[in-house]
Structure formats: structure tokens, C-alpha cells
Amino acid sequence: VSASLLPETKGLPNTHIGYLDGHKISYEDGTYKSRMGIDVSYHQGDIDWSKVKASGVEFVYLRCGYRGYADSGVLKEDTKFEEYYRGAKKAGLDVGVYFFSQAISEDEAKEEAEFVLKLLKGKELELPVVFDPENVGGVGARTDNVSGEQFTVNTLKFADVISDGGFTPAIYEYDLAGKQA
């Protein structure tokens, strides 16, 4: 939905209703307060990080890498990861990373987490390392026939390896095309 199509509303104090102001949704209920953030990968091209910061963005999730869709499932670093990491840090943004997973087994999820830890060597993060398992469908993805149960096993393995590596794990979660575990 385009932000221009959303109504300009204000939430009620001390409720769980967020508000949209200047086309930015926020939330505050006395316990929690939202922060503005974005996630990026090489698809966003060149980024002026000082403009991102000036726009009100407080944090960024960078795609550090991914596993290819094809049967071989090669692990690759996002081509803009290092550049984005340096730029976001220099701009004073809080940084987290995510890995786009196409793991079809627990062993592959472990391999992905170890790959991420190598990419993060010597780097500091203010935010978690996020596992992004996706069933993309319609493109002959490796994960087309992975069950919800297997996605769960893979997620737990990734999280354990990341945690053992000294980082806080998290997950991007969605329905996985009806494959809830």
C-alpha cells in the first residue's frame, strides 16, 4: 500500500493504536515506542547514508548475504554489504544484518550461520543477526518443498550458531506460504 493512500491519523494515548504522520507509521503505548528503520540489499544501489539519517531513519538492517535459489544453493555475500556497513556506521545509524536463507536442511542452516559469522568478523552490531528463511515460490526455489517443521529446525540451528558466535539472533517471520510449523 502506498503511504499516500493511508489516512493521516493520530493514535489514542496509552492504547495500542499507532499513528501515521508524514507518511511514517509509529507506535507508542507507554511501554513500547517504535523507531524508524529500513532494510537494504544491493538492489537499492548507491545510498547517501547522511540523507537516510537526516530523513529520520534510526536503524538499518543490511543484507549481508544469501543462498542462491538454484539447486546448487551457493552462498554469496551481498555485493554492497561492506560499503553499506561502513556508510551506515559513519552516518551514526544502528546496524543489524540479515541473511536470506534457502536452506533445505539443518546442516545448510548451520553453514549459512557460519558464513554470516565470517562476514561479521571484526564488526560491531547494535541490532540482532536476522535469519530470513523464505519460500519464494514460482521461481523453482530450493525451498519450494521444505516443510514448516524443517523451516523451524533450520531457524533454531541458525539461531544457536549465531548465539554461540556472540551475536543476538532474530528471525524475519511470515506465513511461509502456509507452511507454519
Side-chain angles (χ1 to χ4, degrees), residues 9-174:
T9 62
K10 292 283 185 189
L12 301 173
N14 300 315
T15 70
H16 294 284
I17 300 171
Y19 60 92
L20 181 66
D21 230 347
H23 306 296
K24 295 179 183 176
I25 296 173
S26 65
Y27 174 87
E28 188 170 358
D29 70 0
T31 302
Y32 299 102
K33 181 178 181 181
S34 62
R35 297 172 64 203
M36 181 64 65
I38 59 174
D39 70 18
V40 298
S41 71
Y42 83 95
H43 295 287
Q44 278 66 56
D46 294 333
I47 296 174
D48 183 331
W49 291 101
S50 58
K51 284 185 179 178
V52 170
K53 175 80 171 176
S55 76
V57 169
E58 299 172 74
F59 68 90
V60 60
Y61 272 95
L62 310 173
R63 184 177 76 166
C64 61
Y66 60 98
R67 183 183 291 274
Y69 293 164
D71 290 338
S72 62
V74 175
L75 298 177
K76 296 181 180 181
E77 180 177 353
D78 187 291
T79 57
K80 292 281 196 173
F81 173 59
E82 290 292 334
E83 175 188 331
Y84 286 175
Y85 177 83
R86 287 188 308 274
K89 291 297 242 179
K90 184 176 179 183
L93 296 164
D94 287 346
V95 174
V97 300
Y98 72 97
F99 184 86
F100 179 85
S101 174
Q102 284 288 286
I104 59 173
S105 69
E106 187 175 8
D107 287 342
E108 285 191 357
K110 178 180 183 223
E111 180 185 32
E112 290 176 354
E114 290 169 344
F115 182 77
V116 169
L117 291 174
K118 286 179 188 172
L119 294 176
L120 294 177
K121 188 172 179 143
K123 291 180 174 55
E124 292 183 23
L125 299 178
E126 293 75 30
L127 302 170
V129 174
V130 177
F131 186 58
D132 181 16
E134 294 196 25
N135 178 352
V136 293
V139 296
R142 309 174 81 246
T143 55
D144 284 348
N145 297 310
V146 175
S147 69
E149 291 81 8
Q150 187 63 54
F151 272 111
T152 299
V153 168
N154 295 351
T155 300
L156 293 171
K157 177 52 77 175
F158 185 93
D160 284 346
V161 173
I162 292 299
S163 183
D164 289 347
F167 293 93
T168 302
I171 181 173
Y172 279 172
E173 191 277 329
Y174 70 106

